[in-house]
Amino acid sequence: MSARTRFNVIGKPRRRVDGRAKVTGQTRFADDIKLPRMLHCKILRSPLPHARIESIDVARAEAHPGVHLVLTGKDFPVTYGMMPVSQDEYPLAPERVRYVGDPVAAVIARDEQTAAQALDLIDVRYQPLKTIATIEEALATPEPRIHDYGERGNIHRNQSYEFGDVEEALAHADHVFEDVFFFEGNTHLPIEQHAAVATVDADGKLTLWSSTQVPHYLHRALSRALQFPAAHIRVIACPNGGGFGGKCDLHNHEIVVSRAALRLGRPVKICLSREEVFYMHRGRHPVLMKMRTGVTRDGRLTGMSVQTLLDGGGYGGYGAASTFYTGVLQPVTYELPRYRFDAARVFTNKPACGPKRGHGTPQPRFGQEVQLDKIAERLGMDPAELRLNIVAKPNSLTANWLRIGSIGLAECIHKVVDASGWKDKHRKLPEGRGIGIACAAYLSGAGVSIYWNKMPHSGVQLLLDRSGQVTVFCGATEIGQGSDDVLAAIVAEVLGIDAFDVRCVTGDTGITPVDLGSYSSRVTVMMGNAAIQAAERVRELIADAAADELDVLPERVVFARGQVFASEDPSKTMSFREAVAFAETKYGTLGSVGSYSPPKAPGRYKGAGVGPSPAYSYTACVVEVDVDPITGWITVPKVWVAHDIGRTINPVLARGQVEGSIYMGLGEALMEEQVFRRLPPKLSNALVHKIPSLLEYKSLTSLDMPEVETILVEDPDPNCPFGAKEVGQGPLLPVMPAVANAVFDAVGVRIDEVPITPDKILAALAKKAKGEVARVGPDRFPDVPYPEPIFVLPPSEGGDGNATKAPHRDEPARHKEAAAS
Amino acid sequence: MDAVRERDATAQENVRLSMRVNGEEVDVLFAPYKTLLEVLREDLDLTGTKHGCELGECGACAVLVDGEPVLSCLALALDCEGREIETVEGLARGPELHPLQAAFADLGAAQCGYCTPGILMTAKALLAAEPAPSRERIKEAISGNLCRCTGYQQIFEAVEEAARQMRDEGGAR
Ligand code: FES
Ligand code: FES
C-alpha cells in the first residue's frame, strides 16, 4: 500500500470533513448536551493537601431545597486507575485526601447554583497530615507515605536499565559531559473545560458522554468502579475542545455522574470550572535530570547515562508509563551504541501529573539537545553538522531494542538549516540576537496497550448500501487533531470516492469497534491501517461484482473519482453507487471489518513494552531569538521546522499540528509553569496552585506568536497507512531546547531549565559579568536509591533482546575527562 | 445559613425580556443573575457560543452586541434588553457559509473548533470596521481570544482570505 505514489485524496489540501460543523457552532461538545429532566452536579474538594478525613456530615446539604442526592466516598468502595499497576484513586475520597482539590463529596441538584450552595452545607472534619511539596521532600520524608504501595517511602516508581557497559563506553570516550537539567511542570490548558453527562437509557443501561480522549479505557474503568456490567455501559467521546493529553486519564467526575444517574434514573451533568481543570491537571511532570554522555573528538556518541526524577503529584495515573518515557526514546534519534537510564517518580501532595503532548519525553529531550549544543561548542563543531553526522540509521535497532523504520531526520536538518540561513547566522549574529537548533523523535503509537491483551489496538467497520453511501465506524476519538478526517480520507482513497462521501461514526463504545483512543500519536497509524484493511476487503467485493458487469477481470477494475471502471478501457465504466448496488445484489448486505495490531517488539526484557512503536517521526527545528540584555526579555521573531511525517494525509491539518506544537512548545520554553505555593500557616498551610486562571497561567497570545515556516518531509514508512507517520506531538519536542540554544548564541548564557524567563536570563548575565559560570539551572542531582539495573546487551553486541548478567566491573571506571560542561 | 439564603438566587423570580438574537425577536424568561452567555446557551439553546473560563479571560464566549464584540460571560443578560445580539449561529445565510466560516474551514483555522465561534465573531467585527486589516491589526483584534490548538497562523490567514473574499463580493455582510 505504502508503495503507492499516486493519490486522489491523500496529500491534497482539503477542508476537513468536520470543518463545517466546527465553524457553524454545530460540533456538539459535552457541555452542549442538554437532556430532559437533567440535573447538575458539583464536587466538594479538599482544601488541604494531605489529611485524613475524620467525618463528613451531609445532612444539611441533603435537606437543602433543590438537592436530589449527595454522594461521598462511602458510595464508591472500589478504586480505579489508568494503569493496572496503579489502581489508587477513588471517585470521591473515603478517608484520605492527597492534594488540594481531591474530591470528597458531590451534590446533585436542580441547577449548578443550587448544587454549589449545598456544597457549603457539607461539614468535613479533617486531620491534617504532613505535606510533601517537592521532590526533595518526598525523598527525605519516607513517612507518612502518601500511598501504601510503590517502591518504598514516597517513591512510587524506581527503575534502571543498562544496554551495554556504559561506564566502559564513557571511559573510552575522548570527553565525558555531565549536566543537570530541570524541566518545570506545565499543564494542557484545553480551552474546553472537562464536562460529562450520564443518563440511564429507557432499557436501564448507562450512557456517558464525556470530553475524553480514551472512551475505551473509560468504559473499562467505569465498569470496575461502578461494579456494573461493561456490556450495559456505553461511553460516547464527544469531540474534545482540545485535549493535549489532559483528557487521557480517567476523571473522578465521570464516575461520579455515572453513579448519580444510576441512582436517580435521571440525566446528570457536570462541567468543571477553570480552576478545577487546573487542579485536575495530569499534565507535564516536573523532572530533574542528569545526563552523562561520552563523545569522541569528532562528535560521535559512545554512550550515555540518563538519570531522571519525576515529581508525580498525589496519584499514579499514567505515571508508571511517564517514568519509562523519560528514558526510552533517547536512543531513537542519534546513533548511540550504549545507553543506561535510571528513572524514579515520587509522590507529592499536588495534583497528579500525567501525559501531556510528548508524554515524558520533552524533558529529557530538552536535556539531551542542550547538552549536544554544549558538546558542539566544546568540540568547535557546528551543532547542525554534529547532529547530521550522528543521525540514527533507518531500518536499525537501537541499543534498547527499538526498531526504527524510515528516518527522514537528515533531510529535516538540511531543510531547516537552508531555510533559516543557519550558516550565515549561527555565531555570526550581533550580540543579543541568536539562533539555535534541536531535533527530536517521537512514537507513532505506543506498541503495547495500557492493559495486557492480544486484541487489536484499532478496529474499523464499514457499512455500504445500494444508495452508494459509505459509513465508517471506529472507536477513535476526535480531539481536534482531525481523526475523523483521516479516517474518511483513507476510506475514500481506497474506494475512489470523495472524503465528504464518507460518514464517520466514531468514539462510541456502544456502536463502534474498539480503538484505544487519542493518545501516543497512534490514531493515524493504527486506525489508518485498520481502515485500509476494511476498505480493501469491501472493495474486493465491489470489484468482483463490477467486473461481471464490465466484463473484465476483477483485478482490472479501478476505483477513482466516484467511478468504477476497467483499467484498460475507461469507457467501460459505472458510478460507484451502481457498483455498490451490483455488489449488494451479488453478495447480500455489504460490510467489512479491519483491525490493526502493532508489530511485535524485538526487545524481550521486562519493561521492553514501553518505547516500541510501528514507526517514529522525526523533527528538526531552528529558533531565532532576540534577548534584551537590560530586561532579559526574549522575543522570538521566527521558527523554522521540518517534520518527517512519512506521508501527509491532509497538508492543511498536518501544518496545523506542526504549528500548534510549535506554539505550545514556545509556551513551555518561555512562560508556562504549573507551580504551587504554601499558604501561610495562619491561613491553612495549604499547598495551592499559584496561578489557577487563564490570565495568570501565561500562554502565548496571537500577539506573541512568531512566524513559523513549516516544512513537511515525506519518508514513507512501510508500517504506516500510505506511509503516514505521526505529526501531533513530535514537532513540540525540539522547541524548548532550540530556544535555550538560541539564547546561548544570543547572549552566551546557559539556561539549563525551563521555562526560560527574563529573571533567569538576568541572573545568568549577572554571573557572566562577574566572571562566574554563566548558567542558571539546578546545581546538583540528589542521591536517588535507584535499583541495580536490568542489563541487556545491545543488538550490535550480539544480544538477543533478553536481560543478561551485567559484565563484571571492578570499580566504576574513571572518566578520561569529566568536562563540567 | 444566612449567607446561603442571601445567595439563594434561585428563590428570586425569573425575569422576562426581549432582545434581537441573530435577527429574530426573542422573548426569554430567565433567572436574573444569569449572564448573557448562560441565557444564550441554557435558555435559548444557542450552544454554539462557548466558554473556557467564565471570567473574561479566554474570549471563547465572544458575541456581538450591537455590532461590538462582547465577552458574554461578563455581560449580564438583564443589560441586553432591546439589544441586537449576534452569535455564530447567525453567521451563515441559510446553507451558505459566511466567508469567514468558509475560510476558517478551508484553511485549518478551526482545529478542535472550540475557540472558533468567539474568534469568528471577533473577526467579523474587525472586518466590519476595517475591510482590509493588516496582519498586525488582525493579531491585535484577536489577542483576547485564546486558541490552544492552531498556533494562530492559520487563523490569521483565514481572516485575510475572508477579507479578500468579502472585498471582492463588495463589502461586509
Ligand atoms: S468564557 Fe472565557 S472570556 Fe468568557
Ligand atoms: S481550535 Fe482548539 S482552541 Fe482554537
Side-chain angles (χ1 to χ4, degrees):
Chain A
M1 237 336 160
S2 53
R4 263 179 76 172
T5 50
R6 285 166 56 89
F7 300 100
N8 290 312
V9 181
I10 301 300
K12 306 274 187 292
R14 280 180 301 107
R15 174 184 295 187
R16 55 191 294 165
V17 295
D18 48 1
R20 186 185 178 89
K22 287 175 196 283
V23 299
T24 52
Q26 280 174 292
T27 300
R28 199 162 70 143
F29 297 96
D31 193 40
D32 299 338
I33 293 170
K34 181 173 170 184
L35 299 173
R37 304 178 70 229
M38 187 167 81
L39 300 170
H40 297 264
C41 175
K42 277 285 195 194
I43 290 180
L44 182 71
R45 296 173 186 280
S46 169
L48 297 178
H50 199 189
R52 223 171 270 295
I53 299 173
E54 288 186 328
S55 64
I56 304 184
D57 182 354
V58 299
R60 288 195 303 150
E62 282 175 335
H64 188 65
V67 170
H68 288 253
L69 179 68
V70 181
L71 294 169
T72 65
K74 281 207 283 297
D75 299 292
F76 298 94
V78 185
T79 57
Y80 70 95
M82 182 45 88
M83 311 289 294
V85 293
S86 335
Q87 301 288 310
D88 60 0
E89 295 185 60
Y90 289 95
L92 297 173
E95 53 191 27
R96 183 87 171 268
V97 287
R98 297 179 168 90
Y99 68 97
V100 170
D102 221 354
V104 294
V107 172
I108 291 86
R110 66 181 166 216
D111 52 34
E112 270 192 299
Q113 177 102 353
T114 308
Q117 287 163 1
L119 291 186
D120 291 348
L121 303 176
I122 299 175
D123 293 314
V124 188
R125 299 229 329 259
Y126 296 99
Q127 190 205 336
L129 296 168
K130 185 173 168 51
T131 302
I132 293 163
T134 62
I135 291 177
E136 292 73 21
E137 283 179 27
L139 288 175
T141 319
E143 297 285 336
R145 294 185 79 184
I146 294 176
H147 286 281
D148 57 9
Y149 79 103
E151 299 286 349
R152 63 159 113 162
N154 281 305
I155 299 179
H156 171 215
R157 303 286 293 180
N158 195 9
Q159 59 208 32
S160 293
Y161 288 88
E162 185 168 12
F163 304 93
D165 188 337
V166 170
E167 288 308 324
E168 192 203 54
L170 298 188
H172 289 105
D174 293 322
H175 305 273
V176 175
F177 288 78
E178 182 173 319
D179 291 281
V180 185
F181 299 99
F182 178 63
F183 200 107
E184 184 55 275
N186 53 55
T187 200
H188 320 85
L189 208 78
I191 305 298
E192 179 205 27
Q193 303 146 252
H194 305 55
V197 183
T199 191
V200 178
D201 297 331
D203 58 5
K205 294 175 183 148
L206 176 72
T207 297
L208 176 75
W209 289 264
S210 184
S211 35
T212 177
Q213 299 178 233
V214 287
H216 170 67
Y217 292 135
L218 177 56
H219 184 207
R220 278 171 56 86
L222 275 182
S223 174
R224 173 187 156 117
L226 300 170
Q227 300 284 292
F228 196 74
H232 292 185
I233 300 175
R234 175 178 179 190
V235 175
I236 302 173
C238 295
N240 290 193
F244 318 114
K247 292 161 184 168
C248 260
D249 212 331
L250 312 163
H251 298 295
N252 45 62
H253 63 264
E254 296 170 319
I255 305 170
V256 168
V257 293
S258 297
R259 166 73 80 219
L262 284 171
R263 282 277 171 81
L264 295 166
R266 288 177 69 167
V268 178
K269 179 189 211 172
I270 189 165
C271 181
L272 301 190
S273 71
R274 177 52 61 182
E275 186 176 13
E276 287 180 299
V277 174
F278 275 101
Y279 279 103
M280 183 65 73
H281 189 43
R282 313 278 155 158
R284 187 85 71 225
H285 283 78
V287 179
L288 197 56
M289 301 158 264
K290 177 163 148 184
M291 307 204 153
R292 289 166 61 226
T293 306
V295 291
T296 62
R297 60 179 64 84
D298 58 350
R300 303 195 156 269
L301 310 181
T302 66
M304 181 181 204
S305 158
V306 175
Q307 295 180 316
T308 66
L309 190 47
L310 294 78
D311 183 346
Y315 288 95
Y318 275 88
S322 318
T323 310
F324 269 105
Y325 278 125
T326 64
V328 294
L329 289 197
Q330 258 60 262
V332 178
T333 318
Y334 307 112
E335 285 183 301
L336 182 60
R338 289 184 181 175
Y339 180 58
R340 170 173 176 155
F341 78 90
D342 308 278
R345 180 181 193 260
V346 297
F347 286 125
T348 54
N349 293 119
K350 295 184 286 195
C353 298
K356 183 188 170 195
R357 212 169 195 169
H359 194 188
T361 74
Q363 299 97 326
R365 174 61 51 189
F366 173 75
Q368 185 176 9
E369 294 291 322
V370 172
Q371 191 179 53
L372 277 178
D373 204 62
K374 298 182 184 189
I375 291 170
E377 172 74 11
R378 169 68 74 91
L379 300 182
M381 291 179 72
D382 177 299
E385 285 294 322
L386 179 139
R387 286 173 170 84
L388 263 180
N389 291 339
I390 58 172
V391 166
K393 294 273 175 289
N395 307 313
S396 63
L397 283 174
T398 66
N400 61 339
W401 290 87
L402 303 180
R403 184 180 302 287
I404 299 175
S406 77
I407 159 163
L409 181 56
E411 190 181 342
C412 291
I413 296 175
H414 284 301
K415 290 265 170 54
V416 288
V417 161
D418 290 347
S420 64
W422 171 267
K423 296 219 164 73
D424 299 325
K425 289 180 177 169
H426 185 248
R427 300 288 184 266
K428 296 188 181 102
L429 291 169
E431 181 72 13
R433 185 108 181 182
I435 195 162
I437 190 169
C439 302
Y442 199 66
L443 311 163
S444 298
V448 175
S449 150
I450 298 282
Y451 64 98
W452 170 245
N453 72 84
K454 289 185 167 176
M455 289 175 276
H457 287 220
S458 187
V460 166
Q461 199 161 6
L462 279 174
L463 180 68
L464 290 78
D465 73 25
R466 59 198 81 176
S467 68
Q469 72 174 333
V470 177
T471 308
V472 56
F473 299 86
C474 178
T477 309
E478 173 58 49
I479 62 170
Q481 86 279 46
S483 150
D484 280 7
D485 190 68
V486 168
L487 182 60
I490 285 175
V491 170
E493 182 66 49
V494 175
L495 298 181
I497 55 179
D498 193 277
F500 279 108
D501 294 334
V502 178
R503 176 179 294 119
C504 295
V505 179
T506 52
D508 182 335
T509 66
I511 54 174
T512 60
V514 170
D515 175 278
L516 297 180
S518 282
Y519 69 97
S520 84
S521 272
R522 53 175 296 291
V523 174
T524 293
V525 172
M526 304 209 188
M527 173 192 76
N529 277 325
I532 288 182
Q533 188 179 62
E536 286 185 340
R537 282 175 175 170
V538 80
R539 186 181 62 181
E540 209 169 292
L541 301 181
I542 302 169
D544 194 57
D548 293 349
E549 301 298 319
L550 299 172
D551 198 21
V552 291
L553 290 170
E555 303 82 69
R556 296 289 181 226
V557 175
V558 177
F559 292 65
R561 281 170 239 98
Q563 293 290 308
V564 176
F565 54 94
S567 60
E568 281 92 4
D569 180 3
S571 70
K572 287 185 168 178
T573 185
M574 65 179 81
S575 70
F576 178 75
R577 183 181 60 75
E578 287 169 311
V580 172
F582 284 124
E584 192 175 341
T585 309
K586 183 166 180 184
Y587 290 104
T589 302
L590 291 176
S592 66
V593 293
S595 47
Y596 179 75
S597 298
K600 206 169 151 354
R604 281 182 275 171
Y605 55 91
K606 186 171 181 289
V610 188
S613 176
Y616 297 91
S617 76
Y618 290 88
T619 318
C621 177
V622 167
V623 173
E624 196 163 327
V625 298
D626 254 320
V627 181
D628 183 330
I630 309 296
T631 61
W633 193 260
I634 305 169
T635 33
V636 177
K638 190 159 177 182
V639 176
W640 297 263
V641 56
H643 180 74
D644 168 21
I645 190 174
R647 164 112 45 219
T648 311
I649 305 273
N650 183 345
V652 179
L653 271 59
R655 203 190 122 201
Q657 287 300 308
V658 174
E659 289 171 6
S661 293
I662 301 298
Y663 151 83
M664 199 167 273
L666 286 172
E668 298 196 20
L670 298 172
M671 58 189 82
E672 294 190 30
E673 47 185 346
Q674 166 108 337
V675 285
F676 296 82
R677 66 191 168 109
R678 274 185 221 266
L679 293 181
K682 69 171 188 299
L683 269 176
S684 73
N685 219 354
L687 183 65
V688 297
H689 196 294
K690 203 168 157 196
I691 41 182
S693 94
L694 285 172
L695 199 61
E696 295 301 321
Y697 180 94
K698 300 296 181 206
S699 61
L700 268 69
T701 70
S702 56
L703 289 169
D704 308 310
M705 187 62 196
E707 188 190 340
V708 179
E709 188 171 327
T710 300
I711 301 156
L712 295 172
V713 168
E714 297 193 321
D715 191 347
D717 193 289
N719 280 344
C720 298
F722 306 115
K725 306 197 275 192
E726 78 89 35
V727 61
Q729 307 194 64
L732 173 139
L733 303 169
V735 178
M736 294 74 77
V739 170
N741 296 340
V743 163
F744 178 74
D745 190 46
V747 287
V749 302
R750 288 287 178 192
I751 311 297
D752 286 345
E753 61 179 57
V754 298
I756 301 169
T757 48
D759 55 316
K760 291 175 190 170
I761 300 271
L762 291 182
L765 285 173
K767 287 185 183 178
K768 188 179 169 195
K770 281 193 252 164
E772 295 168 12
V773 180
R775 169 184 182 270
V776 166
D779 296 325
R780 55 179 288 277
F781 190 84
D783 276 333
V784 183
Y786 292 118
E788 257 313 291
I790 291 174
F791 187 87
V792 185
L793 220 47
S796 61
E797 295 178 39
D800 64 358
N802 284 298
T804 63
K805 233 167 78 61
H808 176 67
R809 270 186 225 132
D810 311 327
E811 285 292 303
R814 291 206 56 77
H815 313 153
K816 274 230 175 86
E817 178 196 348
S821 53
Chain B
M1 235 4 211
D2 279 347
V4 171
R5 202 167 300 127
E6 229 171 71
R7 278 181 27 205
D8 189 1
T10 48
Q12 292 175 36
E13 276 182 20
N14 282 344
V15 291
R16 174 185 296 274
L17 63 74
S18 54
M19 42 193 184
R20 276 180 80 78
V21 179
N22 298 326
E24 287 171 43
E25 212 52 62
V26 298
D27 247 358
V28 55
L29 190 67
F30 60 91
Y33 61 82
K34 282 197 171 184
T35 62
L36 176 59
L37 171 73
E38 290 167 323
V39 169
L40 288 172
R41 288 180 54 85
E42 296 166 9
D43 299 290
L44 294 171
D45 289 333
L46 292 170
T47 52
T49 301
K50 303 302 173 201
H51 57 83
C53 65
E54 290 142 290
L55 294 166
E57 297 170 349
C58 72
C61 65
V63 299
L64 302 186
V65 177
D66 295 335
E68 288 298 318
V70 161
L71 297 176
S72 63
C73 72
L74 296 184
L76 265 186
L78 274 178
D79 291 339
C80 295
E81 172 89 66
R83 300 286 192 86
E84 173 84 42
I85 316 289
E86 285 173 83
T87 70
V88 68
E89 285 90 348
L91 270 183
R93 269 199 207 132
E96 191 199 334
L97 295 181
H98 186 281
L100 274 165
Q101 290 175 307
F104 270 57
D106 288 337
L107 301 181
Q111 266 186 37
C112 77
Y114 199 82
C115 67
T116 308
I119 295 185
L120 285 170
M121 300 318 290
T122 310
K124 185 182 184 219
L126 170 72
L127 297 189
E130 297 177 45
S134 65
R135 177 68 64 103
E136 277 316 304
R137 284 292 299 132
I138 296 170
K139 286 186 176 187
E140 279 168 29
I142 65 163
S143 62
N145 297 82
L146 296 182
C147 172
R148 202 60 179 154
C149 298
T150 60
Y152 300 106
Q153 200 153 285
Q154 288 174 312
I155 294 177
F156 304 150
E157 291 168 11
V159 175
E160 286 163 354
E161 172 61 23
R164 248 190 313 275
Q165 282 288 333
M166 288 163 68
R167 289 197 303 273
D168 290 352
E169 285 170 18
R173 39 175 284 199

